[in-house]
Amino acid sequence: MRWRVAVSLAILVGLGTLALSQEAKQPQDVADAFKQGNALYARASYQQAESAFLYILTRDPKNPEARAAHALTLEALNKPELAMPIWLELSMERRNKDPRALFYLGRNYLQRGYYRDARKQFIAAIAKLESDGISGKSARGAPADIALSRETTLMLALSQYLDRDYEGAVGNVEYLYSGLGVGSAFAE
């Protein structure tokens, strides 16, 4: 009889410990899950990062940061076709006025080989940034916005090159070089 009680207690303690360890692995709230997802993404643990972002989305399906992070994770998992509807929805919600949403939508098109569609999004993102007084040449604006402008211009040049618009690609690369003050990209 005593050994049955001892075994039962051992099983209960073991199950309790297992339950606590499982609970410890689950984020306690959306903020913790977001931190965990970002840390996992940074370590290239994309499957686990996706789980963290999906955890957030089950609790807050309209969370734009979690949706964007989920889309980036899907792209990292080589599933850009699953990320596309997320980027489209985020872009439409922001009335195509958010340069970051436009950039990521363009990048998704580029990944999937839709170079002209990518160009349209990059051009729209650059136009929005320029309307806010930010360009790849300027030192005005937040560093993240200036970096976004330069990266968008570079992605535009890449999409032009892949679409065989070599003149446009060279022009955008030259534009970036002139803004950096390092001379010509193609000088001999």
Side-chain angles (χ1 to χ4, degrees), residues 28 33 125 161:
Q28 296 302 312
Y161 179 83

Side-chain angles (χ1 to χ4, degrees), residues 40-182:
L40 290 164
Y41 185 92
R43 290 195 307 258
S45 298
Y46 302 124
Q47 286 291 150
Q48 293 171 311
E50 181 185 21
S51 295
F53 298 129
L54 287 172
Y55 173 88
I56 297 166
L57 293 171
T58 60
R59 281 145 184 79
D60 184 5
K62 291 294 183 184
N63 184 314
E65 291 82 14
R67 288 165 45 216
H70 182 229
L72 288 171
T73 303
L74 288 169
E75 290 174 347
L77 289 167
N78 202 25
K79 300 176 184 176
E81 69 285 351
L82 297 178
M84 174 55 75
I86 299 169
W87 293 128
L88 283 169
E89 189 175 279
L90 287 169
S91 182
M92 296 306 285
E93 285 173 9
R94 296 170 183 176
R95 294 179 169 50
N96 292 321
K97 300 213 185 279
D98 180 352
R100 282 179 178 71
L102 294 166
F103 169 79
Y104 286 118
L105 181 57
R107 196 180 76 167
N108 187 282
Y109 278 126
L110 186 63
Q111 287 175 326
R112 294 180 318 119
Y114 298 107
Y115 307 131
R116 290 198 175 125
D117 292 326
R119 288 167 62 170
K120 289 177 190 174
Q121 299 306 316
F122 295 139
I123 289 168
I126 291 167
K128 176 59 182 143
L129 286 162
E130 287 177 351
S131 75
D132 292 341
I134 298 162
S135 74
K137 285 182 156 184
S138 78
R140 288 186 9 230
D145 290 335
I146 295 168
L148 177 64
S149 177
R150 289 176 178 162
E151 188 174 4
T152 305
T153 303
L154 183 59
M155 296 300 273
L156 173 59
L158 177 60
S159 64
Q160 289 169 317
Y161 179 83
L162 292 170
D163 200 32
R164 300 174 194 255
D165 175 7
Y166 304 121
E167 189 175 317
V170 167
N172 277 306
V173 171
E174 285 288 345
Y175 171 81
L176 285 173
Y177 266 82
S178 69
L180 298 173
V182 293

